[in-house]
Amino acid sequence: MKAGFCSLIALQFRLLLDSLPHESITLSKAAMVDVMTKRKLAEYLFDRIKDSGVDTTFGIPGDFILPLYAAQEKTKLKTVVMTHEPSVGYAADAYARLKGLGVGLVTYGAGGLNMINSVGLAYAEESPLLIISGSPETRYRSQKPQLHHCVKNFDTQFNVFKEVTESQALLANPATAQDEIDRVFETTTKYSRPGYIEIPRDMVNYELDVQESAPSAMEAPSAALEEAVHEIIDRLKEAQQPVLFVGVEVRRFNLKDKVVALAEALNIPVVTSILGKASFPESHPCFAGNYFGQFGNPKVKEYVESADLILSLGTVLTEMETAGYTAKLPAKALIQCTAHEVTAGHHTYHGVNLRSLIDQLIDLTTSKVKPTLRFSLPSIEPELIEPKNGDKNLTVAHMINQLNDMMSEKFAVVSDVGDCLYAGMSLKTDIFIAPGYYSSMGFGVPAGIGAQIANPKRRSIILVGDGGFQMTGMEISTAIKLGINPIVILFNNASYAMLRFIDQKRDYYDLQRWDYALLAKALGGKGVTAQTPEEFKQALKDAKNSDSLFLIDARISEDDISPTLRRLTDHFGKKVKASIS
Amino acid sequence: MKAGFCSLIALQFRLLLDSLPHESITLSKAAMVDVMTKRKLAEYLFDRIKDSGVDTTFGIPGDFILPLYAAQEKTKLKTVVMTHEPSVGYAADAYARLKGLGVGLVTYGAGGLNMINSVGLAYAEESPLLIISGSPETRYRSQKPQLHHCVKNFDTQFNVFKEVTESQALLANPATAQDEIDRVFETTTKYSRPGYIEIPRDMVNYELDVQESAPSAMEAPSAALEEAVHEIIDRLKEAQQPVLFVGVEVRRFNLKDKVVALAEALNIPVVTSILGKASFPESHPCFAGNYFGQFGNPKVKEYVESADLILSLGTVLTEMETAGYTAKLPAKALIQCTAHEVTAGHHTYHGVNLRSLIDQLIDLTTSKVKPTLRFSLPSIEPELIEPKNGDKNLTVAHMINQLNDMMSEKFAVVSDVGDCLYAGMSLKTDIFIAPGYYSSMGFGVPAGIGAQIANPKRRSIILVGDGGFQMTGMEISTAIKLGINPIVILFNNASYAMLRFIDQKRDYYDLQRWDYALLAKALGGKGVTAQTPEEFKQALKDAKNSDSLFLIDARISEDDISPTLRRLTDHFGKKVKASIS
Ligand SMILES: Cc1ncc(C[n+]2csc(CCOP(=O)(O)OP(=O)(O)O)c2C)c(N)n1
Ligand SMILES: Cc1ncc(C[n+]2csc(CCOP(=O)(O)OP(=O)(O)O)c2C)c(N)n1
């Protein structure tokens, strides 16, 4: 990615480059260095942010970052002030998942350290989240820290961020600041993992000598790539019942459109993994379901596990992806393509870039010259989710069915952790954002706001348990302030139901019952309570027609959970119970 | 401190020791080792917690810590489940400040990493907070982490906690587990700073061979101590206008009663520092005010700065304690006694323990043999806080005066950050808990709950800004659940006023106006809005009579702040404005 570089000189330089014969573009770096311009550190930084396609940042101001906020105000970037720093991370993470970069601006200590969990989540889930923190002036840093917001020493926060980010920079030296900024941007987007930039207060308006960065060299296609691609094509030619198994890295590296093109070229059935849910649009005719081992739709399981070729693109076979290692993906059938390598049977091709691999596969399967490979699509019924017979009370099954009736390309589904996540697995949606791997509660509401800001054409349907809502649900205030209208579906079972189901009923799993509808009103939004399927239906209708935030307090009985969670807790509960003796 | 050790064998061992002639107590460690007993790791841990005087822990359960919660249920410890992990830290911190130890129990990753800021706060503010986190089974730890709640590797959380705690232990080895637990307990209380214990899930019920720990050796009084004490006594004898300047370490090391005894022996005026507020009871006749350089009561400033002996006990001269370095404490007059050293003029006595120092001073000044030193107490008027003439709207000045009218030994004041903290400085109170140094917002409400649990005889008066309340105010739900009745005074100025005052009016300092009274109702508590001095008076009366949580939404105008904050922002604002160019 090129450096943000908006000055006139830079423009003239580009025009100059464009007018040269093509070969001369390979200017030596020395030649480039000559083209310098003076820019304030903050201006350079915000230009890079804007050039990455970001139009909104998230944060909470505080004295160590006030100069940066003031500098930001002079740019065209919008900024959203959240209520609490953990939410800053979640909102910017969701934004990042949709836009390729999300930015959080926080103050030192109380700000930065207050969002370590959100950044850890983004690391584990591979989201390109960039956190920028202000910090004390460079001239103080040699002294003993007796400033507010300091913990052990001036490096505490930097050291902590090192543990949860891919790259870090402390911009204390004007001579290297530009390179440091560039490095963190590049790493953050290349690995789709968080980066951290710390800016001492006296550096914000420092005039840097900024230089145009050399155009980044194109990666040459590797021999390993050629070989891997040919093995895949050969295996496709032999296959009777192949399936594309699409995972989370497709979303992370922004390859969704390419995978759609490949699926269409092959007319091949596509399933997604659990973390990869909606990495392939679920309204697409090739889409055949979510594969979640023995916890998911049994028909999808049957189809995938009997396939003679499982071409996995960007799945990461974690505990969760393999449904607690219940997934049966025989090495004989599986070709596993991840961000940087391909494993077929028992051999691995290293250094194979997923993007290049998919590009080549598309080339080879759509080319007029080659014999066209076309498969046929099975018809796999979505799991029938049936409310218990004659149940007058609202159940999760009713909610799933009614939400599916409403689903369209106007919505994105964003979920917290708890049964809402497993219920969410049964929703048919093209966009699904959740912390399915790291599993931190509190993600849902702030992430739903971040997602809708990233893509205003899709209204967020936020699924959240009462436990998760009690952590960060107040963030609905931010949606109300911004005048955006997510729909919050609150799975209210008055308990930490997931824990209760893997263990047993205990006092410390009980939650206070809040009047969530009244609470939404207290914050200036709309809220209703639904206790029956009819009330829930009406509530959804009202939500759909509302142009402001709408919260539905869905009161479900204590012992009602989704079919997926029931299978999952049956499985994990045994382990947990064994450890509680 | 001795290990918790409740078994019969231990008791018999103690009886045996007691019946031996005194000298035989110096048993060699080898002899002690013989007395062993089998205890589950969790039992040993919870015994140590109980033996430290703790009766309640704070936390949020999660699968990695479920076995520990189940084990805790079998003890007599109560546990309070909070709504969000940051609050767990704040509540346990406040509890620790009053009881000498506070304990938080959280799950791995999403739990532990979600409270790093609270732990950093406790480190900076020297609070003996012990965090216990569950973690994955030891047998997984050699593998690549693809478990939920993991970030980079299994050590991420441990490494992060290293940066914000005084001591840490990962209990992976049964042979050393007891020693490790003991070490963390001892360090936590000795340095009054946070400790971290991580317990893999399969270790919780592991049977340890527990041994009685050797009685800890008494520290011999040092020669430096003798010399320092004599210099102090000599200086006291010469002094015409001496003052005791009492700081935060007096509270941290639980020396409040001793300092009272010393002050009474000398009949000496006592001022407290800002972080040390209420380290000396403010209802005591010797109490002369809070000293806060040029930000505080000008009369206190005048008195302290003209004293010929300022005997400082446990103040730590940070940026905040010195009121942004405006404090004028001439080296000639100052004797500065901190936890481990004494500095008089330009020489320092190292290794002088504050507790021993105060003990010796009491001995020497109350002894019948020595000539008694008695001073006379000045009468320093508390600062007159006058509401603007004829102001019909509620102002911070009204609130301070009316709260002072209500103050008694039935209350403790707990404050968040913002103007509430500076207003709080003007309240006359014997207990005052606030994050005055680290300055993290969000502390107030959860800490107020922790404080009232630690000392149920004192009702918490929680001072909090609307910004701070929006972070963790939902925690009032926990007070309602427990049936305790703190009073929440919400300084509602619809903005981050502190930032606005050190900078200027900007959009990103505006806060959404919530209907906080309605919100309290939505959570099952009581709440009222007060817009005039009369309404506030009535609200306070109703709060006083209420036996459940009571929230007062005090709506103050945008441009009204406390006198202390006005002096402070006038001072710091210049610096901040200079850095925003
Ligand atoms: C931040 C955080 N703290 C604790 C946990 C442990 N945990 C996992 S599931 C769960 C209960 C979730 O409760 P709720 O949001 O009400 O959803 P439900 O299980 O009732 O569907 C808890 C506490 C977690 N995942 N994240
Ligand atoms: C957790 C945290 N985030 C950010 C800050 C930076 N900060 C310092 S004061 C302040 C405003 C406080 O607002 P409020 O609680 O409403 O009190 P007021 O200043 O209006 O009295 C902020 C955001 C902080 N101290 N702590």
Side-chain angles (χ1 to χ4, degrees):
Chain A
M1 185 187 295
K2 280 205 199 137
F5 204 74
C6 300
S7 74
L8 200 63
I9 298 184
L11 185 67
Q12 285 169 344
F13 179 66
R14 282 218 192 101
L15 293 174
L16 173 76
L17 277 183
D18 288 349
S19 66
L20 289 173
H22 195 65
E23 307 85 87
S24 356
I25 286 206
T26 53
L27 283 172
S28 72
K29 177 131 187 168
M32 317 279 298
V33 169
D34 286 337
V35 184
M36 294 269 221
T37 176
K38 289 260 179 212
R39 302 198 42 71
K40 287 186 178 171
L41 188 153
E43 288 170 8
Y44 181 75
L45 177 73
F46 288 123
D47 278 350
R48 283 229 57 162
I49 291 174
K50 279 186 294 182
D51 291 351
S52 305
V54 168
D55 57 19
T56 307
T57 66
F58 301 85
I60 295 183
D63 61 348
F64 287 111
I65 198 159
L66 293 190
L68 207 66
Y69 266 83
Q72 180 180 232
E73 218 181 17
K74 295 182 197 145
T75 71
K76 287 217 172 74
L77 283 167
K78 281 166 284 183
T79 194
V80 174
V81 176
M82 312 290 288
T83 65
H84 199 194
E85 282 86 358
S87 300
V88 170
Y90 301 140
D93 173 336
Y95 185 97
R97 293 186 196 203
L98 292 170
K99 301 268 278 190
L101 186 72
V103 178
L105 295 178
V106 291
T107 194
Y108 192 58
L113 295 182
N114 214 349
M115 58 184 308
I116 293 307
N117 185 54
S118 320
V119 181
L121 187 158
Y123 186 93
E125 304 251 335
E126 297 183 31
S127 177
L129 169 65
L130 176 64
I131 299 304
I132 301 172
S133 173
S135 71
E137 281 77 351
T138 46
R139 65 174 176 280
Y140 291 147
R141 294 183 84 106
S142 56
Q143 299 164 18
K144 208 177 151 196
Q146 301 213 313
L147 277 175
H148 62 290
H149 295 340
C150 279
V151 185
K152 283 195 176 177
N153 55 52
F154 287 112
D155 297 326
T156 301
Q157 176 162 322
F158 191 86
N159 293 344
V160 167
F161 268 91
K162 241 187 200 161
E163 297 292 329
V164 293
T165 55
E166 186 68 38
S167 60
Q168 315 78 30
L170 166 63
L171 305 186
N173 178 356
T176 58
Q178 184 196 2
D179 284 349
E180 292 282 273
I181 293 173
D182 290 352
R183 177 176 58 79
V184 174
F185 269 80
E186 270 139 39
T187 321
T188 303
T189 47
K190 177 166 176 202
Y191 295 103
S192 192
R193 279 196 150 141
Y196 173 67
I197 296 181
E198 183 174 319
I199 312 181
R201 197 152 47 177
D202 52 353
M203 290 292 298
V204 172
N205 290 310
Y206 206 103
E207 295 264 352
L208 305 182
D209 290 316
V210 166
Q211 62 183 72
E212 173 85 2
S213 55
S216 60
M218 284 287 289
E219 254 176 66
S222 73
L225 171 65
E226 304 287 326
E227 223 178 285
V229 166
H230 280 102
E231 174 160 358
I232 293 172
I233 294 286
D234 288 347
R235 292 282 297 276
L236 276 169
K237 283 184 191 153
E238 287 161 16
Q240 299 298 318
Q241 187 192 318
V243 63
L244 275 195
F245 179 31
V246 174
V248 63
E249 291 185 334
V250 165
R251 186 262 305 151
R252 283 172 192 159
F253 298 104
N254 211 1
L255 302 170
K256 201 162 163 174
D257 293 348
K258 289 185 192 289
V259 173
V260 169
L262 178 64
E264 287 175 355
L266 290 166
N267 197 47
I268 193 171
V270 178
V271 297
T272 51
S273 71
I274 257 4
L275 297 181
K277 181 171 168 72
S279 291
F280 192 86
E282 300 192 346
S283 54
H284 194 283
C286 289
F287 180 68
N290 296 124
Y291 172 69
F292 195 20
Q294 76 178 41
F295 306 158
N297 181 346
K299 290 199 188 107
V300 176
K301 172 177 156 67
E302 206 184 295
Y303 189 83
V304 172
E305 295 182 359
S306 66
D308 56 356
L309 174 61
I310 305 166
L311 181 56
S312 151
L313 298 177
T315 63
V316 182
L317 295 180
T318 61
E319 172 204 32
M320 190 54 74
E321 286 295 64
T322 57
Y325 305 111
T326 67
K328 294 215 172 53
L329 304 168
K332 222 171 54 137
L334 185 67
I335 300 184
Q336 162 85 345
C337 313
T338 58
H340 305 291
E341 59 187 41
V342 172
T343 300
H346 299 285
H347 54 284
T348 299
Y349 301 91
H350 295 287
V352 175
N353 179 284
L354 187 59
R355 175 184 304 271
S356 315
L357 179 93
I358 298 177
D359 277 340
Q360 293 240 1
L361 288 175
I362 296 172
D363 268 8
L364 289 172
T365 52
T366 49
S367 152
K368 298 271 139 47
V369 215
K370 307 262 161 186
T372 321
L373 277 164
R374 300 283 295 175
F375 300 97
S376 60
L377 301 174
S379 97
I380 300 178
E381 294 285 298
E383 187 178 17
L384 201 63
I385 307 225
E386 267 184 303
K388 270 173 263 155
N389 222 342
D391 211 332
K392 285 210 188 85
N393 297 323
L394 183 63
T395 64
V396 175
H398 290 118
M399 292 165 65
I400 293 173
N401 293 337
Q402 293 187 15
L403 280 164
N404 266 333
D405 288 346
M406 183 173 92
M407 278 301 151
S408 76
E409 77 295 341
K410 292 198 187 120
F411 299 102
V413 178
V414 181
S415 180
D416 208 280
V417 170
D419 195 22
C420 58
L421 178 62
Y422 300 101
M425 295 297 167
S426 300
L427 297 185
K428 200 164 169 148
T429 172
D430 294 340
I431 296 187
F432 186 77
I433 296 178
Y437 170 50
Y438 185 75
S439 297
S440 178
M441 291 159 70
F443 179 86
V445 174
I449 293 170
Q452 193 163 336
I453 292 171
N455 185 354
K457 285 197 199 118
R458 297 237 183 200
R459 210 172 155 186
S460 287
I461 296 183
I462 297 170
L463 312 179
V464 59
D466 45 350
F469 189 90
Q470 293 194 359
M471 292 187 174
T472 58
M474 296 303 99
E475 210 57 61
I476 58 172
S477 163
T478 305
I480 295 163
K481 171 173 78 180
L482 299 174
I484 62 175
N485 62 349
I487 299 173
V488 178
I489 314 280
L490 202 150
F491 287 61
N492 183 352
N493 48 27
S495 72
Y496 290 150
M498 247 187 90
L499 300 184
R500 187 159 43 80
F501 273 86
I502 54 173
D503 180 11
Q504 63 179 56
K505 194 165 166 42
R506 296 187 195 257
D507 287 350
Y508 47 82
Y509 299 145
D510 291 347
L511 286 171
Q512 279 294 96
R513 276 256 197 222
W514 298 0
D515 184 340
Y516 298 96
L518 191 62
L519 184 148
K521 274 171 214 144
L523 272 51
K526 288 184 195 150
V528 297
T529 308
Q531 312 223 36
T532 63
E534 295 69 36
E535 285 175 5
F536 189 73
K537 196 173 215 162
Q538 183 59 45
L540 271 189
K541 220 167 131 184
D542 294 343
K544 213 174 154 181
N545 293 329
S546 164
D547 52 14
S548 69
L549 173 124
F550 200 98
L551 180 148
I552 303 176
D553 175 2
R555 306 222 169 164
I556 44 194
S557 93
E558 257 207 0
D559 46 68
D560 180 56
I561 50 173
S562 69
T564 307
L565 183 59
R566 192 167 298 274
R567 289 184 287 247
L568 185 137
T569 52
D570 283 352
H571 177 84
F572 282 114
K574 283 185 210 118
K575 262 213 242 170
V576 171
K577 277 174 199 140
S579 70
I580 299 176
S581 61
Chain B
M1 186 186 292
K2 279 203 201 142
F5 202 73
C6 300
S7 73
L8 201 61
I9 299 183
L11 185 66
Q12 286 168 344
F13 180 67
R14 283 218 191 102
L15 292 174
L16 175 75
L17 276 184
D18 288 348
S19 67
L20 288 174
H22 195 65
E23 308 85 88
S24 354
I25 287 204
T26 52
L27 283 173
S28 71
K29 178 131 188 170
M32 318 279 297
V33 169
D34 285 337
V35 185
M36 295 268 219
T37 176
K38 289 260 178 212
R39 306 202 32 79
K40 288 186 177 169
L41 189 153
E43 288 169 8
Y44 181 74
L45 178 73
F46 287 124
D47 277 350
R48 282 229 56 163
I49 291 175
K50 278 187 295 181
D51 290 351
S52 306
V54 168
D55 58 19
T56 307
T57 65
F58 300 85
I60 295 183
D63 61 348
F64 287 111
I65 197 159
L66 292 191
L68 208 65
Y69 266 83
Q72 180 179 232
E73 218 181 17
K74 294 181 197 145
T75 73
K76 287 217 173 75
L77 283 167
K78 282 165 283 184
T79 195
V80 174
V81 176
M82 312 290 289
T83 65
H84 199 195
E85 281 85 0
S87 301
V88 170
Y90 300 140
D93 174 336
Y95 185 97
R97 292 186 197 204
L98 293 171
K99 301 267 278 188
L101 186 71
V103 178
L105 295 178
V106 291
T107 194
Y108 192 58
L113 295 182
N114 214 349
M115 59 184 307
I116 293 308
N117 184 53
S118 320
V119 181
L121 187 157
Y123 186 93
E125 304 251 334
E126 297 183 31
S127 176
L129 168 66
L130 176 64
I131 299 304
I132 300 172
S133 173
S135 71
E137 281 77 353
T138 46
R139 66 174 174 281
Y140 292 147
R141 295 184 83 107
S142 56
Q143 298 164 20
K144 207 177 151 197
Q146 301 212 312
L147 277 174
H148 62 289
H149 295 340
C150 280
V151 185
K152 282 196 176 176
N153 55 52
F154 287 113
D155 297 326
T156 300
Q157 176 162 322
F158 191 86
N159 294 345
V160 168
F161 268 92
K162 242 187 202 162
E163 297 292 329
V164 292
T165 54
E166 185 68 38
S167 60
Q168 314 79 29
L170 166 63
L171 305 185
N173 178 355
T176 58
Q178 184 197 2
D179 284 349
E180 292 282 272
I181 292 173
D182 290 350
R183 178 176 56 79
V184 174
F185 268 80
E186 270 140 38
T187 323
T188 302
T189 47
K190 178 167 176 199
Y191 296 103
S192 192
R193 279 196 151 140
Y196 174 66
I197 296 180
E198 183 173 319
I199 312 182
R201 198 152 45 177
D202 51 353
M203 291 291 297
V204 172
N205 290 309
Y206 206 102
E207 295 264 354
L208 304 182
D209 290 316
V210 166
Q211 65 183 70
E212 173 85 1
S213 55
S216 61
M218 283 288 289
E219 255 176 68
S222 71
L225 171 66
E226 303 286 324
E227 223 178 283
V229 166
H230 280 104
E231 175 161 358
I232 293 171
I233 294 285
D234 287 346
R235 292 284 298 275
L236 276 169
K237 284 184 192 156
E238 286 160 19
Q240 299 298 317
Q241 190 193 318
V243 64
L244 274 195
F245 180 32
V246 173
V248 64
E249 291 185 332
V250 165
R251 187 261 305 150
R252 281 170 193 161
F253 297 103
N254 209 4
L255 302 171
K256 201 164 164 175
D257 293 348
K258 288 185 194 289
V259 174
V260 169
L262 179 64
E264 287 176 356
L266 291 167
N267 196 49
I268 193 172
V270 178
V271 297
T272 51
S273 72
I274 258 3
L275 298 181
K277 183 174 168 68
S279 291
F280 192 87
E282 301 193 344
S283 54
H284 194 281
C286 290
F287 180 68
N290 296 125
Y291 172 69
F292 195 20
Q294 77 178 44
F295 306 159
N297 181 347
K299 290 200 188 106
V300 176
K301 174 177 156 66
E302 207 183 295
Y303 189 82
V304 172
E305 295 183 358
S306 66
D308 55 356
L309 174 60
I310 304 167
L311 180 56
S312 151
L313 298 176
T315 63
V316 183
L317 296 180
T318 60
E319 171 203 33
M320 190 54 74
E321 287 295 64
T322 56
Y325 306 112
T326 67
K328 292 213 174 57
L329 304 170
K332 222 171 53 141
L334 186 67
I335 299 184
Q336 162 86 346
C337 313
T338 57
H340 304 291
E341 60 188 40
V342 172
T343 300
H346 299 284
H347 54 284
T348 299
Y349 302 91
H350 294 287
V352 176
N353 178 284
L354 187 59
R355 175 184 303 272
S356 314
L357 179 92
I358 298 178
D359 277 341
Q360 293 239 0
L361 287 175
I362 295 174
D363 268 7
L364 289 173
T365 52
T366 49
S367 154
K368 299 271 139 49
V369 215
K370 308 260 160 187
T372 323
L373 279 165
R374 300 282 295 176
F375 300 98
S376 59
L377 301 174
S379 97
I380 300 178
E381 294 285 298
E383 188 178 16
L384 200 64
I385 308 227
E386 268 185 303
K388 271 173 265 159
N389 222 344
D391 210 332
K392 285 210 189 82
N393 297 322
L394 184 63
T395 64
V396 176
H398 290 118
M399 292 166 65
I400 293 174
N401 293 338
Q402 294 187 14
L403 279 165
N404 266 334
D405 288 346
M406 184 172 93
M407 278 302 152
S408 77
E409 78 294 341
K410 291 199 189 118
F411 299 102
V413 178
V414 181
S415 180
D416 208 280
V417 170
D419 194 22
C420 59
L421 178 61
Y422 300 102
M425 294 298 166
S426 302
L427 297 185
K428 198 163 170 148
T429 172
D430 295 340
I431 297 186
F432 186 76
I433 296 177
Y437 170 49
Y438 186 74
S439 296
S440 178
M441 291 158 71
F443 178 86
V445 175
I449 293 169
Q452 193 164 337
I453 291 171
N455 184 355
K457 287 196 197 118
R458 296 237 180 201
R459 215 174 152 185
S460 289
I461 296 183
I462 297 170
L463 312 179
V464 59
D466 45 350
F469 189 90
Q470 292 194 0
M471 293 187 174
T472 59
M474 296 303 100
E475 209 58 59
I476 58 172
S477 163
T478 304
I480 296 163
K481 171 172 78 180
L482 299 174
I484 62 175
N485 62 348
I487 300 173
V488 178
I489 313 281
L490 203 151
F491 288 62
N492 183 351
N493 48 27
S495 72
Y496 290 150
M498 247 187 91
L499 301 183
R500 188 158 44 77
F501 274 86
I502 54 173
D503 181 10
Q504 62 178 57
K505 195 166 165 42
R506 297 187 194 259
D507 287 351
Y508 47 81
Y509 299 145
D510 292 347
L511 286 171
Q512 279 294 94
R513 276 257 197 220
W514 297 1
D515 184 339
Y516 298 96
L518 191 62
L519 183 147
K521 275 173 214 142
L523 270 53
K526 288 185 196 149
V528 297
T529 308
Q531 312 222 36
T532 64
E534 293 70 36
E535 285 174 6
F536 189 73
K537 196 172 214 163
Q538 184 59 46
L540 271 189
K541 219 167 132 186
D542 294 343
K544 212 173 154 184
N545 294 329
S546 164
D547 52 15
S548 69
L549 173 124
F550 200 98
L551 180 149
I552 303 175
D553 176 0
R555 307 223 168 163
I556 43 194
S557 94
E558 258 209 359
D559 47 69
D560 181 56
I561 50 173
S562 70
T564 308
L565 183 59
R566 192 166 299 274
R567 290 184 288 247
L568 186 138
T569 52
D570 283 353
H571 177 86
F572 283 113
K574 284 186 208 115
K575 263 214 241 171
V576 171
K577 276 174 198 138
S579 70
I580 299 175
S581 63

